[in-house]
Each structure stands twice: as structure tokens, then as C-alpha cells.
Amino acid sequence: MKKHHRKIFILIVFVYVVFSLYAAYNVFFNTKVVTRVHRVVKKITVATSGGGVVAPHIGDDVWNPWEDEQADALSALHKQREAFRQYQERIDKNRPKRNKVQIWGKAAIGLYLWEHILEGPLNPTDIHTQWREGEIQVGKIDFSFYTGPAVIQGHVPLDTDSVVLVLNGREQQKISYATRWLQHVQTLIQFHAVNRVAVVLLGSERCTNDWISPYLRRHGGFVDLLFLVYDSPWVNDKDVFQWPLGVATYRQFPVVMPNSHMVSSTRPFLCNFLGTVYKNSSRETLMGILKQTGLDKECITTGREKYFNMLCCHCQALYQFTIMVFSPVFASCLSQ
């Protein structure tokens, strides 16, 4: 029994010794066989004194059997992203370009421009609010309008480089105020915040508008376009245009929606004048001319010698009805 156990023990020791010798041989003497499948060949540049040479290098990186598939997937993804980018560029190129224009209304004629011509909304609707604004899209232009006593230099949120400034230049006090706004816009231009400027100006009835001349681009200024209320020898329909005074918005004159009947129908009167006739004024001269030529019989003329802030209900109704129904507005600039 003992001899049997001894043989088993000797056999185990013999197997252990043989395995140990085989392992030692593989570690120290046998050359490791690496197939081409397991090789990762890299090219590195070996710096030499005469320059760089490219030599193959066999690295010991772990083989990734999905390496080619991943490379193909990344290449396909890159092509898809490039195709999408080119598609977006074509869409942006073909998309109609929209322009933004801000209108800063610092004169009452700004309300006529916004509400009666552009037919834009105003919020809040209360006319006594210190700050009112509105937005409207007309064709490819997005207009935004700001008006009210609280609209001051440097506090209007500027999101465009095109600005229309509505100013009052009828008397010296108004001119001084308008000049400060022009100087503010000039500063914005110097800092490249604004590039294009137009001015809608309530000018002088006596055509004394020389104060704004230095601001016009043709005289070295920055105002590209000038829309001028009342006639002027400057009007050339290129950079200076005549602009209507419009209606007395402070009298809550309604917004008139145009229709074909208003344009094509025959009017029973040639013109109208309803307003205050001041002594030694152009209005007094106009009334005299109408009487001398007999045009007063072809026009509706109602004059008064004193100005009133508030109209009676009858006078206001007559004023609105006359302009809307009986005749075109021949002297709307004198109807205040």
C-alpha cells in the first residue's frame, strides 16, 4: 500500500518538474510567433542628423477585430455631416433675406407714420403712457417702433444697424432737442452700431431747415435719406423727399383703411382747409389767394383765429367727415 502511494507521489513530482522546465524554456529560449493578423504596423519618423526617415514599427497594441468597421462608420458619419452642412448652406442662401429697421418716434408725426401709413400696433394702447412700442412685418422688412417721453438716448434696445429717426424741427427749442438725438446717432455710427440712417423731419413752414444740412451724407454727414414735411428746394426724390404732415393724431383721428371707392370716386370739392388762421402767417396768405382766385367756392374752408387744444364734438366730426368724404386733403399741413 505504501509502495503504491510512493509511486503516485513520484509521478506527481515528475510531472511538476517537466511542466516547470517546459515553462522555463518557453519564457527564456522560445521565439514568440506573431501572425500578421495580430500585428499593428506603425510608421514613425526617426530623427537623424541628415533628416527624417520613415521606417516601419511593429507595436504591441491589442488587436481590435472591429477596427475597419469602426473606421468605415466614422467615415460615413463624417460624409453625412458634411452633406447636411452643405444642405443647410443652400437653404440659408435661398431663404429670403429679411431686414430689420427701428423707428424712433420723437415727434408727433411718428404716430402718423406708424399707425396710419404702416398700420402698426402700439402697446400699451393708452396714449398717456411714457413708453410705447410695436412691431410689424411689411414685405421683407421687420419694423419696430418706439415712442414716448421715456424713450431717451441710450435706452432703446438696438438690434439692427438701420434706424429711422422722427424729429421735430419746426422751432428753435425743438431743433435743439432734435440735434441731441442726431449727435447720439452719430456716436452710434462711430462705434459701428448703426450703418444706415433716415430722418423724417417736421420742417419749418418758412423752409429754414439749414441746421440739418451738415448731417446729410451729401454734405459729409451720415443721414442717407431725409423725408421733409413742407415744401423745400432740397427735394430731389433721390436723398431728400417731401413728406406729408398727415393728420392731427392727438385729436384721435381714426385710421382710414383705403379702398377702391375712395380712390376712384369723384369728389364734389377740389380741396379743403379747416384750421387756425394766424395773423401774418402763410395760412392767412393762402386764404387770401383762395378768395382772390375764387377757389374758396370750390373748396371747403373753415378758419378760426384762435387755437384750441380740444375740439368740440361738432367741430371734430366736421373735420373728420370733410377730409374722409368730401374732398382730398389739399392743405392737411394747415389743419391744426
Side-chain angles (χ1 to χ4, degrees), residues 100-145:
K100 290 185 177 182
V101 176
Q102 283 193 355
I103 304 175
W104 299 348
K106 298 310 300 177
I109 57 175
L111 292 175
Y112 172 69
L113 166 62
W114 182 253
E115 293 184 311
H116 292 256
I117 295 182
L118 296 178
E119 300 178 2
L122 265 181
N123 294 305
T125 56
D126 184 3
I127 62 174
H128 302 292
T129 306
Q130 297 294 302
W131 178 292
R132 304 176 73 191
E133 62 183 76
E135 295 181 353
I136 191 174
Q137 293 182 354
V138 180
K140 297 180 180 180
I141 304 177
D142 297 332
F143 287 99
S144 56
F145 179 71

Side-chain angles (χ1 to χ4, degrees), residues 16-293:
Y16 174 77
V17 172
V18 171
F19 180 79
S20 299
L21 292 175
Y22 177 76
Y25 173 79
N26 282 318
V27 172
F28 296 104
F29 300 102
N30 191 22
T31 301
K32 185 177 181 181
V33 179
V34 181
T35 64
R36 294 189 62 180
V37 178
H38 294 79
R39 291 179 182 176
V40 178
V41 179
K42 298 180 180 178
K43 291 184 178 181
I44 61 174
T45 300
V46 181
T48 63
S49 59
V53 295
V54 177
H57 171 74
I58 300 178
D60 295 331
D61 296 342
V62 179
W63 173 61
N64 182 3
W66 299 281
E67 183 175 3
D68 293 339
E69 295 180 3
Q70 291 177 349
D72 293 341
L74 289 175
S75 177
L77 179 61
H78 176 73
K79 291 180 179 179
Q80 290 176 358
R81 289 177 176 176
E82 182 65 20
F84 181 74
R85 184 186 65 81
Q86 294 177 359
Y87 171 76
Q88 287 291 98
E89 289 180 352
R90 289 195 299 269
I91 291 296
D92 294 338
K93 185 177 181 180
N94 297 328
R95 181 179 299 159
K97 182 180 180 182
R98 301 200 62 83
N99 300 294
K100 290 185 177 182
V101 176
Q102 283 193 355
I103 304 175
W104 299 348
K106 298 310 300 177
I109 57 175
L111 292 175
Y112 172 69
L113 166 62
W114 182 253
E115 293 184 311
H116 292 256
I117 295 182
L118 296 178
E119 300 178 2
L122 265 181
N123 294 305
T125 56
D126 184 3
I127 62 174
H128 302 292
T129 306
Q130 297 294 302
W131 178 292
R132 304 176 73 191
E133 62 183 76
E135 295 181 353
I136 191 174
Q137 293 182 354
V138 180
K140 297 180 180 180
I141 304 177
D142 297 332
F143 287 99
S144 56
F145 179 71
Y146 300 90
T147 189
V151 177
I152 59 178
Q153 295 97 328
H155 288 75
V156 180
L158 186 63
D159 63 349
T160 178
D161 62 352
S162 302
V163 171
V164 177
L165 195 56
V166 186
L167 300 173
N168 188 339
R170 190 171 182 177
E171 57 187 31
Q172 187 57 47
Q173 183 179 1
K174 301 294 185 181
I175 291 174
S176 299
Y177 183 73
T179 301
R180 291 197 295 270
W181 271 97
L182 288 170
Q183 292 172 348
H184 170 64
V185 174
Q186 187 174 26
T187 302
L188 295 177
I189 290 178
Q190 292 172 351
F191 284 95
H192 306 288
V194 173
N195 292 326
R196 292 176 288 271
V197 179
V199 172
V200 179
L201 179 65
L202 174 59
S204 168
E205 293 183 21
R206 302 183 183 275
C207 300
T208 55
N209 302 306
D210 294 340
W211 64 274
I212 199 174
S213 179
Y215 295 99
L216 301 182
R217 188 171 294 279
R218 62 162 125 166
H219 295 150
F222 57 88
V223 176
D224 300 288
L225 301 173
L226 175 63
F227 299 88
L228 188 59
V229 175
Y230 302 125
D231 198 8
S232 170
W234 295 358
V235 175
N236 57 12
D237 291 337
K238 295 180 179 179
D239 62 339
V240 180
F241 302 83
Q242 190 168 7
W243 188 256
L245 177 61
V247 298
T249 54
Y250 61 91
R251 298 197 189 280
Q252 302 303 302
F253 192 83
V255 177
V256 179
M257 303 302 294
N259 56 61
S260 58
H261 177 73
M262 293 175 58
V263 177
S264 59
S265 61
T266 302
R267 303 299 178 94
F269 295 93
L270 176 64
C271 63
N272 68 70
F273 173 80
L274 292 86
T276 307
V277 181
Y278 302 100
K279 291 292 183 180
N280 301 320
S281 67
S282 60
R283 303 182 181 189
E284 189 176 47
T285 303
L286 174 64
M287 295 297 290
I289 294 175
L290 292 176
K291 290 180 180 179
Q292 292 174 6
T293 58

